[in-house]
Amino acid sequence: MALRSFRLLAALFMLALVGCGSLPGDVHRPVSYSLLPSPDESPIARLAADQLPAGAQSGFRLLPLGSYALDARLALIRHASRTLDLQYYIWDNDESGRAVFGALKDAAERGVRVRLLLDDLNTTSVDKLLQALSSVPNMEIRLFNPFCCARASLAGRIATSLGELPRLDRRMHNKLLIADGALAMIGGRNISDEYFARNPVANFIDLDAIAAGRVVPQLAMHFDRYWNSDESFPVSYFSSSRDPGVNSGLLQKLLPPSTGRMELELPEKDLLELEPVSKELQANQLTLVAGLAYAVADRPSKRFLPPEELESSSLMTGALSQMLGARTELVVTSPYLVPGKPGMSVLQSLQQKGVRMTLVTNSLPATDSAFVYFGYARYRPRIANAGVEIYEVSASTPHGNKAVFGGGSSRGRLHAKLAVIDEEVVLLGSLNLDPRSARRNTELGVAVDSPELAKQALRIVEAMKAEAYRVRPEPEGGSLAWVPPNEEDDQAFNEEPGVSALNALQRLLLNPLVPEDLL
């Protein structure tokens, strides 16, 4: 084992000495655009038009349950008859990932135009599968801000790209699916078992929404900007073989024909008392809540913006501006929370206005990013002293989250990105409240003016809070206390639950090593 490790390190060192590879310079990117919804040609488009509430500009269906979120994606793909556009940050080569890949392949083979755009940071496990899928007629795949070489492993990719690390640190964090230009899915979920409550160890508590109406063409416009941008490269440029016969054989091996026909075991109803989307679509129905909405996204070229323009145009700046406009209440869920000076300024301003503020984030045992958690912990006393009611989701509570979020006995980890302002406006999308989302990653989301949707979102937040410790300042001494889920103040802990002496040492040693701007 030691010898193999030495050889690996030596190989990486030699790759670094050889020099850095580079992306292809002359790239042919056929320009294409979203197809307008056609009720005459698409049952989905006809359904979206028929089910939109009377007089509504847009309509929404929230999806708090992981299994329902996977069911909805597969159902939309299976019902699409004209076009499918997808944009994701993470897509794993696991059961869920292969099921969605298989459904897309089936759609392309029946004549549906499929455009798939993936951020390239996490594509190592699916690289060969993407190359094989790119040979399927009607299916086109592009990679956003890709690595140039040694694509079989992340270590190899990095070793051959050392001179381009500043570029490669800027990622596309957007999540979007659009079916027939008429129904869209947005939110926090990537394509992986742990986002759909299918991981036996740990699953994310997350939130998506299906959107219909005028907001969908807005989302399609943002997709087109990314698809046709200079940041997006056809996956065929990185393929080891362009022989259709070779790719077809590889595809049969990696993605058997039955893969896209996964049958899910679904609860009869979710937290909102709604049935699975697949069942509704089969009955030619779709439950939608009316809202006045608009879609927003960072520019694909965000990494090229000068600092002053970046600060004024980023999605984070717009979100903070909307939060600052709260009059009575602000409720926020963010798995990765490092407010920085801009965020603290907003919280302190809202405190002065007397706005009631609630924040739900991860505890250290629940988070999948200790570095970001340590960044949050630096601000936690100031957040609490700004009058914010803080809830930290526990990795494991006595009550469990199976009935609400489908996590079963596995650990629950918050991943939902949500804000509800004055019980009227809902902000939902891919944006985390941290410096990376503000300055380094691109993000996408929607703002919806809908008291009814806000009421549903707050109901979901209440379920999250039932899985969380409430953090409050001690009346004397300025320290913090943690109140267990569904307990009173007199049951509070003075020590952070689930944090060991080793965790404390890690925080002490690692905290100074990562600049806040990278979190």
Side-chain angles (χ1 to χ4, degrees):
M1 182 63 71
L3 180 59
R4 290 181 61 187
S5 299
F6 173 78
R7 287 176 176 171
L8 175 60
L9 290 172
L12 294 177
F13 179 69
M14 290 303 295
L15 284 170
L17 291 180
V18 167
C20 297
S22 60
L23 292 172
D26 185 16
V27 178
H28 177 56
R29 301 178 181 87
V31 175
S32 62
Y33 295 98
S34 300
L35 302 178
L36 294 175
S38 173
D40 294 333
E41 300 178 37
S42 165
I44 282 184
R46 188 161 53 251
L47 173 71
D50 291 345
Q51 297 297 300
L52 196 67
Q57 183 223 48
S58 297
F60 294 87
R61 156 78 189 266
L62 295 178
L63 295 164
L65 193 62
S67 59
Y68 272 38
L70 179 57
D71 167 75
R73 285 169 170 82
L74 293 173
L76 290 180
I77 293 170
R78 290 166 181 167
H79 282 77
S81 58
R82 300 182 71 228
T83 178
L84 287 161
D85 293 331
L86 300 93
Q87 178 181 23
Y88 281 96
Y89 174 59
I90 294 174
W91 195 308
D92 282 343
N93 189 7
D94 56 16
E95 189 178 21
S96 299
R98 289 189 295 273
V100 184
F101 274 137
L104 290 175
K105 179 178 74 72
D106 291 346
E109 289 175 343
R110 65 174 184 266
V112 178
R113 186 192 73 172
V114 177
R115 298 188 297 174
L116 173 61
L117 177 61
L118 295 181
D119 184 86
D120 195 40
L121 180 64
N122 301 287
T123 59
T124 304
S125 69
V126 296
D127 195 57
K128 289 184 178 180
L129 185 50
L130 295 177
Q131 293 174 20
L133 283 168
S134 67
S135 66
V136 176
N138 301 314
M139 190 164 187
E140 189 176 357
I141 303 172
R142 295 185 181 181
L143 301 174
F144 188 87
N145 196 17
F147 291 81
C148 70
C149 319
R151 298 180 55 82
S153 70
L154 182 58
R157 291 181 177 197
I158 293 174
T160 54
S161 306
L162 294 178
E164 294 195 297
L165 293 185
R167 169 180 72 83
L168 295 168
D169 189 39
R170 311 301 176 103
R171 308 314 317 175
M172 183 192 75
H173 196 239
N174 311 33
K175 290 100 175 170
L176 177 65
L177 183 157
I178 306 175
D180 285 355
L183 291 176
M185 284 197 68
I186 53 173
R189 289 186 176 96
N190 294 292
I191 308 298
S192 174
D193 282 344
E194 60 190 347
Y195 294 93
F196 303 123
R198 301 181 64 83
N199 188 307
V201 178
N203 288 290
F204 286 114
I205 298 170
D206 215 327
L207 184 62
D208 288 323
I210 293 178
R214 294 183 188 176
V215 74
V216 178
Q218 297 173 28
L219 290 164
M221 177 196 70
H222 290 303
F223 178 89
D224 287 343
R225 290 176 64 191
Y226 278 82
W227 181 257
N228 295 313
S229 76
D230 290 341
E231 303 293 307
S232 299
F233 288 70
V235 73
S236 57
Y237 276 83
F238 308 98
S239 177
S240 56
S241 172
R242 299 192 183 185
D243 184 333
V246 172
N247 284 333
S248 177
L250 181 62
L251 187 57
Q252 288 290 325
K253 178 181 178 181
L254 297 177
L255 202 67
S258 61
T259 310
R261 304 181 184 94
M262 173 191 285
E263 296 297 330
L264 300 174
E265 293 184 10
L266 301 169
E268 185 177 341
K269 293 187 177 181
D270 65 7
L271 170 65
L272 301 176
E273 297 298 320
L274 297 175
E275 294 182 322
V277 170
S278 60
K279 186 174 181 179
E280 288 200 333
L281 292 183
Q282 288 171 2
N284 206 34
Q285 297 176 347
L286 184 62
T287 303
L288 296 170
V289 172
L292 181 66
Y294 62 90
V296 286
D298 287 317
R299 303 179 194 178
S301 58
K302 180 177 179 177
R303 68 186 178 94
F304 294 110
L305 296 178
E308 61 278 4
E309 189 173 353
L310 178 61
E311 292 298 329
S312 64
S313 66
S314 76
L315 192 59
M316 177 72 80
T317 300
L320 290 178
S321 177
Q322 285 207 287
M323 293 178 193
L324 187 59
R327 303 181 305 274
T328 58
E329 183 182 58
L330 173 65
V331 177
V332 174
T333 72
S334 181
Y336 314 112
L337 175 71
V338 184
K341 291 182 180 179
M344 287 307 307
S345 176
V346 168
L347 296 180
Q348 289 160 357
S349 296
L350 293 178
Q351 181 187 34
Q352 293 173 3
K353 290 165 56 176
V355 174
R356 188 172 56 141
M357 295 176 283
T358 302
L359 177 72
V360 185
T361 190
N362 277 312
S363 64
L364 179 56
T367 188
D368 64 334
S369 178
F371 278 116
V372 177
Y373 174 85
F374 295 154
Y376 151 70
R378 300 172 197 165
Y379 286 93
R380 182 168 49 196
R382 280 180 279 172
I383 296 172
N385 289 323
V388 180
E389 195 169 71
I390 303 172
Y391 289 85
E392 294 180 353
V393 170
S394 170
S396 177
T397 68
H399 308 281
N401 59 23
K402 183 174 183 179
V404 177
F405 300 108
S409 59
S410 62
R411 289 193 299 128
R413 303 183 297 189
L414 181 70
H415 196 260
K417 304 95 163 49
L418 173 72
V420 183
I421 303 169
D422 295 335
E423 300 183 354
E424 295 176 353
V425 175
V426 177
L427 308 182
L428 176 67
S430 68
L431 181 72
N432 296 307
L433 297 181
D434 59 19
R436 177 162 290 278
S437 284
R439 303 185 186 97
R440 296 179 180 274
N441 292 346
T442 68
E443 307 289 352
L444 176 143
V446 294
V448 188
D449 189 338
S450 170
E452 186 177 356
L453 191 71
K455 182 179 179 180
Q456 291 184 352
L458 290 173
R459 184 176 175 185
I460 294 169
V461 173
E462 286 300 313
M464 295 175 184
K465 288 163 59 177
E467 305 289 327
Y469 285 87
R470 178 165 55 89
V471 184
R472 61 168 176 80
E474 289 282 43
E476 299 178 1
S479 60
L480 298 175
W482 283 260
V483 182
N486 301 303
E487 298 290 351
E488 300 298 327
D489 280 9
D490 58 2
Q491 300 297 315
F493 299 104
N494 291 322
E495 299 292 333
E496 191 171 348
V499 176
S500 65
L502 178 59
N503 294 144
L505 179 61
Q506 288 174 332
R507 182 186 306 180
L508 180 66
L509 296 177
L510 298 178
N511 226 350
L513 299 182
V514 181
E516 184 172 296
D517 188 54
L518 296 179
L519 298 177

